[in-house]
């Protein structure tokens, strides 16, 4: 087998074991409640302005674009439907995943790598605290919890942005916009796409923690860990998205029309 | 730390609030949180209708399609279960018609239920609505193409006829032209008249000859002149006139004889008798007139407006309308009572229940259906059915005749009352018994429904395998038994 291919499989194996260990440790005492709350505040609350602002802008831009196309076909009344469907089904979850990978993933990678380089992790270990359980598990759990919630904020701010942009163009009322936006919505357009971001969260948390936790190159390793965290987790999010969408279509066939 | 907890709490609660909002908006659109009534509708062609498709009552979103049961043979139809928001239930009547529609050319298909009429009773929950087969776009296009080709043919025919007419007109015009040119050149008689100087001279001479003849006549020359001038001839004419006078006096004599004949007739009083008869007829006519007048008066009295100034016709109409509404209300109340657990038992005993929800075992033991007083027609399977080309059973011509005879025996009553079709299969295999006895009952139901236009709700089928209810004189049966329960007759 090619050495590069072997390395790839080796990396996949190590990261998978890393993730599996985190899942197993989650159900073992002591539960690091304080750490989890701190991480959720860091990953969730602090990402909120970024997510809401990008959602709002994306919603407005999307409406402007779809408007010019749909008006050509005389289907201007479909604008809210198209915009809401696109946002809730794909754009919201994916963009939130990528944004969080950039902001939170790089943070987790850099912090852990820095702690490793400055031997803080060894210090924690010397206090007979399980450093993996104390540092890695709360980070991953926070990502899993935070991502679906951030996605909802992204979806609804996108809807608001879309409404304001459409209101400026056609003076549509808010009520009519909402009615039209959800006129063709099924449960499969809302719940599975939102919940799938929990998987994105797990990917971001695991990959970033892995790069930060296992670096051993001193100060140079900090930068590398941060970069790798963002690049690999973004790539993996898009790949898992493909698999997850296929899975959702399998469970909810009416969503695949 | 406390500050962090508040932040996390805010974040999580905010996210969950958005999630709940999303659930409610979508749930509201799909009407997941309101109360519903279920109905059925049957279609031969679904035209792409799917589970979860929208249902509209009188154009308003009212619910969705819950389930679609696929038919097991081309004889039966797709059975669609639909749920309708309780608020719109009042619009769904027994004469409401369900159709499958499409939103625009590229839109979704949906089930549309037309609002029924005021006097029809409300459709019972779980009842089968009437349905109209959908018109598919491809059918429309086919019709359009046919129409266009017809129009094309007509235009072509018309074009040919106009062409012929134009050729005729052109020929006529050119003929006229020829004639005019001929006239101008002095050809033919008329042309000669116009152009020939010699002819004019001859005509002038002829005129002078005529003048000469007239002068000769005046002078008594020739035979005609003699008539005008000869005395002897005048005498002869006078004699002829005398003869004519004699003939006239003879005629006068004949007239006197005719007079005598008429006076003889008068003596026999024929005119008087005729007069009397006419008098009698006059009297009878006046009697009839009197009778008619009295009748008119009676009708006018009856039709006179009542205390509130309402005419009798309007009164009768309103009474009928009131009776109709009252009947509808009673039907609705009875339907509600049937589902009330206090009265359910009573209605069960009376036989008001849905036969599709009854097992054959229960049916056999049921007092209403197993009653020996019911009208039953036992029809043998060997005579009713024949094997079709595909190996399945189908109704034979003889069988159809037997069914017609069995049903028409009870005349109009059978058309209005519930009819239960029991299917039996004489074989030993239990699976065959179940399948084929049911198939037979379905075949007969399809036939009766389409042939007599019976209400689908009035026809129930039961697959009885091979065992009829006890004490009816048949321990086993192979065929069909048509039952009209006694309470209905």
């Amino acid at each position: 087998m090619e050495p590069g291919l072997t390395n790839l499989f080796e990396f996949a194996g190590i990261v998978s074991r890393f993730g599996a260990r985190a899942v197993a440790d989650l159900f073992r005492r002591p539960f690091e409640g304080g750490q989890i709350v701190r991480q959720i505040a860091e990953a969730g609350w602090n990402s909120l302005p970024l997510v809401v602002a990008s959602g709002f802008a994306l919603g407005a831009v999307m409406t402007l674009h779809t408007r010019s196309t749909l008006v050509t076909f005389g289907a201007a009344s479909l604008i809210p439907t198209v915009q809401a469907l696109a946002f809730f089904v794909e754009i919201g979850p994916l963009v939130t995943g990528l944004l969080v990978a950039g902001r939170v993933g790089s943070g987790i990678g850099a912090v852990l790598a820095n702690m490793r380089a400055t031997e803080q992790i060894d210090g924690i270990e010397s206090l007979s605290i399980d450093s993996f359980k104390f540092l890695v598990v709360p980070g991953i759990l926070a990502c899993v919890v935070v991502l679906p919630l951030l996605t909802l904020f992204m979806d609804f701010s996108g809807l608001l942005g879309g409404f304001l942009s459409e209101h400026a163009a056609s003076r549509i009322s808010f009520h009519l916009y909402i009615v039209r936006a959800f006129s063709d919505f099924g449960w499969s357009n809302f719940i599975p796409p939102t919940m799938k971001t929990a998987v994105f969260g797990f990917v971001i948390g695991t990959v970033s923690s892995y790069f930060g936790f296992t670096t051993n190159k001193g100060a140079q390793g900090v930068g590398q860990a941060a970069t790798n965290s963002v690049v690999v987790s973004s790539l993996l999010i898009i790949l898992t998205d493909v698999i997850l969408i296929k899975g959702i279509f399998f469970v909810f066939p009416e969503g695949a029309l | 730390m406390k500050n962090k907890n508040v932040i996390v709490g805010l974040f999580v609660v905010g996210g969950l609030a958005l999630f709940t909002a999303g659930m409610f908006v979508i749930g509201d659109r799909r009407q997941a949180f309101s109360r519903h009534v279920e109905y059925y509708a049957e279609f031969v062609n679904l035209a792409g209708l799917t589970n979860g498709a929208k249902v509209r009552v009188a154009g308003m979103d009212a619910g969705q399609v819950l389930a679609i049961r696929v038919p097991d043979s081309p004889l039966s139809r797709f059975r669609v279960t639909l749920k309708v928001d309780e608020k719109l239930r009042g619009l769904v009547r027994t004469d409401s018609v369900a159709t499958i529609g499409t939103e625009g050319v590229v839109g979704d298909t949906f089930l549309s239920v037309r609002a029924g009429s005021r006097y029809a009773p409300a459709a019972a929950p779980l009842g089968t609505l009437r349905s109209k087969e959908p018109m598919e776009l491809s059918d429309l296009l086919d019709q359009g193409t046919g129409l266009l080709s017809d129009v094309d043919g007509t235009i072509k025919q018309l074009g040919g006829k106009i062409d012929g007419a134009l050729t005729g007109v052109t020929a006529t015009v050119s003929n006229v032209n020829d004639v005019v040119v001929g006239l101008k050149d002095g050809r033919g008689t008329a042309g000669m008249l116009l152009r020939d100087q010699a002819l004019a001279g001859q005509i002038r001479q002829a005129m002078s000859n005529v003048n000469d003849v007239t002068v000769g006549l005046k002078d008594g020359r020739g035979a005609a002149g003699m008539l005008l001038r000869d005395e002897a001839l005048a005498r002869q004419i006078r004699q002829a006139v005398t003869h004519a006078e004699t003939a006239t006096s003879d005629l006068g004599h004949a007239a006197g004889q005719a007079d005598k004949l008429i006076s003889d007739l008068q003596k026999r009083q024929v005119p008087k008798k005729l007069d009397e008869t006419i008098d009698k007829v006059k009297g009878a006519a006046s009697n009839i007139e009197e009778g008619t007048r009295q009748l008119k008066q009676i009708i006018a009295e009856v039709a006179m407006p009542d205390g509130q100034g309402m005419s009798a016709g309007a009164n009768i109409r309103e009474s009928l309308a009131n009776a109709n509404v009252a009947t509808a209300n009673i039907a609705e109340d009875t339907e509600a009572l049937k589902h009330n657990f206090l009265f359910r038992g009573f209605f069960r005993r009376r036989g008001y229940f849905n036969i599709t929800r009854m097992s054959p075992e229960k049916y056999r033991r049921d007092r209403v259906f197993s009653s020996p007083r019911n009208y039953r027609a036992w029809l043998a399977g060997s005579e009713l059915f024949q094997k079709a080309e595909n190996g399945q059973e189908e109704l034979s011509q003889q069988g159809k005749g037997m069914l017609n005879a069995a049903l028409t025996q009870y005349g109009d009553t059978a058309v209005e009352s519930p009819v239960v079709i029991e299917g039996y299969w004489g074989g030993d295999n239990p699976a065959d018994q179940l399948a084929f006895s049911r198939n037979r009952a379905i075949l007969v139901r399809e036939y009766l429904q389409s042939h007599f236009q019976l209400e689908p709700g009035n026809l129930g089928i039961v697959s009885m395998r091979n065992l009829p209810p006890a004490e009816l004189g048949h321990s086993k049966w192979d065929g069909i038994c048509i039952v009209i329960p006694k309470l209905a007759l």
Side-chain angles (χ1 to χ4, degrees), chain A residues 34 37-38 40-41 44-45 48 146 149-150 152-153 156 178-179 182-187 190-191 194-195, chain B residues 1 4-5 7-8 10-12 14-16 18-19 21-23 25-27 29-30 32-33 54 103 108:
Chain A
V37 168
R38 208 179 58 77
I40 289 180
W45 181 261
L48 206 53
V146 150
L149 296 175
L150 284 176
L152 287 166
F153 280 104
F156 280 94
I178 294 294
V179 166
F182 292 99
S183 64
D184 284 331
F185 250 68
W187 298 118
F190 182 56
I191 297 174
T194 310
M195 288 306 160
Chain B
M1 195 61 208
K4 281 267 188 296
N5 281 337
I7 286 173
V8 170
L10 260 177
F11 175 69
V12 172
L16 289 178
L18 287 182
F19 186 72
M23 295 281 283
V25 172
I26 298 171
R29 296 304 303 155
R30 302 198 76 77
F33 305 117
K54 279 182 191 167
E103 292 173 333
D108 246 356

Side-chain angles (χ1 to χ4, degrees), chain A residues 19-158:
Chain A
R21 186 180 159 196
V23 172
D25 272 4
L26 181 62
F27 300 101
R28 229 164 25 84
R29 282 177 182 283
F31 305 117
E32 303 289 350
Q35 266 305 91
I36 294 172
V37 168
R38 208 179 58 77
Q39 293 273 16
I40 289 180
E42 159 63 23
W45 181 261
N46 293 347
S47 306
L48 206 53
L50 171 72
V51 165
V52 170
S54 8
F56 188 83
L58 259 179
V61 168
M62 273 266 310
T63 307
L64 289 176
H65 278 302
T66 47
R67 184 173 178 76
S68 62
T69 315
L70 288 177
V71 164
T72 326
F73 293 108
S77 68
L78 276 180
I79 294 170
T81 322
V82 170
Q83 205 263 348
L85 264 179
F87 242 83
F88 278 77
V89 171
E90 199 46 61
I91 294 179
L94 190 65
V95 172
T96 313
L98 294 176
L99 284 177
V100 172
R103 196 193 156 276
V104 179
S106 66
I108 291 175
V111 166
L112 287 181
N114 193 34
M115 287 174 88
R116 177 66 78 192
T118 52
E119 299 183 345
Q120 288 180 51
I121 292 179
D122 297 334
I124 290 171
E125 291 278 337
S126 72
L127 293 171
S128 83
I129 293 172
D130 186 345
S131 63
F132 185 84
K133 199 160 167 25
F134 186 70
L135 296 173
V136 174
V137 174
I140 296 177
L141 183 64
C143 285
V144 170
V145 172
V146 150
L147 245 134
L149 296 175
L150 284 176
T151 305
L152 287 166
F153 280 104
M154 165 74 90
D155 290 345
F156 280 94
S157 53

